Amino acid sequence: MQCELELEISNHKALEWEALQEKNFVSKAKRVELYGEELAAINEEIAKRNYSELSLEKLLELKLKYAEKLKAEEIEIKLKEKSSLDDQLDELLNKSAYVEWKA
């Protein structure tokens, strides 16, 4: 029971930090959102332009820059759940009763 409460408290604290980061625009998710919006706006402007215009070069540079920023913000998604009894027995040495997996 205590372990479950500790996990719940830990998850609650993590969610509070995530909300605070979202509010202050410092979370990875918010940066990805903002970079994505900028990239979409740049793509829209590029679509309006004629390739003979000199400033198109700058727009293409910006497109690459924001695409690279989005790629740099990519993270591996991991979820957790209570492990099975077999998993718990296998993990006794690590003292972990939870398993992680990629989403």
Side-chain angles (χ1 to χ4, degrees), residues 30-81:
K30 194 63 172 179
R31 287 193 310 269
V32 168
E33 181 182 336
L34 292 173
Y35 292 154
E37 289 171 1
E38 288 298 316
L39 184 57
I42 291 165
N43 283 333
E44 286 177 24
E45 190 61 31
I46 288 173
K48 295 177 191 176
R49 300 291 177 105
N50 182 327
Y51 282 92
S52 65
E53 296 179 28
L54 181 60
S55 61
L56 178 62
E57 182 179 349
K58 182 64 176 171
L59 285 171
L60 290 172
E61 288 175 14
L62 286 172
K63 178 180 179 176
L64 290 175
K65 176 182 173 182
Y66 278 95
E68 288 171 1
K69 284 185 177 207
L70 282 172
K71 182 65 178 169
E73 294 294 338
E74 184 178 42
I75 60 170
E76 187 177 282
I77 306 298
K78 293 182 181 180
L79 303 174
K80 293 182 180 184
E81 72 178 5

